[in-house]
Amino acid sequence: MKKMDDEEIQKWLEENGLSSGKTNKELISDDARAYQFLFDVLDEEPAQGLPYDFAAKVTRKVQAEAKRTSELRYYFIAIAVVALALVAIYGLLLMVKPAAGPSYGSLLFQYKWILISVVFSFLTIQYLDQILVKGKIFKSAAKIK
């Protein structure tokens, strides 16, 4: 007997398995039994219906996930822009006075923690602005509607 793929099993079950009421013992393979079980489970009505605000909850979760990914993308772009700005400033300083290149590098290395803390502070302020300020504004606007 040849091996049936998913579509053939589904067609066979729709034509033979469900309509004629055959039992699981008469089915061809384990895959067919699994499909029969799936059809039987999906044929039953749920014990209780969906909550009234199910669609709103799903929409909020999808929007929150989209917002989270866009914010994460924004933070990566902000870090990249700051890094590119530092490289551009260093490049311009090298073009103005090429002999002082190593001194610029040692100056940046000397103040690396200040630069890192400035970038970290900027990103923290942006994050807190998104969470605390804009979150409250959007929640109050949603209550008004």
Side-chain angles (χ1 to χ4, degrees):
M1 188 165 18
K2 78 171 195 163
K3 182 92 170 151
M4 296 173 68
D5 65 354
D6 289 342
E7 291 180 16
E8 291 173 345
I9 293 173
Q10 288 177 3
K11 285 180 187 176
W12 183 83
L13 282 175
E14 288 171 356
E15 293 170 1
N16 300 324
L18 293 177
S19 61
S20 63
K22 292 185 181 181
T23 64
N24 285 342
K25 295 175 186 172
E26 298 175 13
L27 292 175
I28 302 172
S29 66
D30 291 335
D31 291 337
R33 285 189 199 101
Y35 274 106
Q36 181 67 44
F37 177 73
L38 179 64
F39 284 151
D40 291 342
V41 169
L42 290 176
D43 196 34
E44 297 174 11
E45 292 290 324
Q48 66 187 63
L50 295 174
Y52 179 71
D53 60 343
F54 177 75
K57 286 181 181 179
V58 170
T59 304
R60 274 194 301 267
K61 286 191 179 194
V62 168
Q63 288 174 345
E65 183 66 31
K67 181 181 173 189
R68 190 174 310 123
T69 57
S70 69
E71 287 175 358
L72 187 61
R73 187 178 310 128
Y74 168 76
Y75 294 133
F76 283 133
I77 290 172
I79 289 172
V81 166
V82 169
L84 286 174
L86 289 175
V87 168
I89 290 170
Y90 184 71
L92 288 174
L93 289 173
L94 283 178
M95 286 176 41
V96 171
K97 195 170 182 182
S103 66
Y104 295 140
S106 66
L107 183 68
L108 284 175
F109 189 72
Q110 184 180 5
Y111 293 108
K112 68 181 174 201
W113 294 113
I114 294 174
L115 292 173
I116 291 171
S117 65
V118 166
V119 170
F120 181 74
S121 299
F122 172 74
L123 292 175
T124 303
I125 289 170
Q126 291 296 318
Y127 177 74
L128 291 175
D129 179 53
Q130 290 285 331
I131 298 298
L132 300 175
V133 178
K134 290 181 182 174
K136 288 182 181 178
I137 290 172
F138 290 131
K139 285 180 184 175
S140 65
K143 288 180 182 177
I144 293 172
K145 290 181 181 179

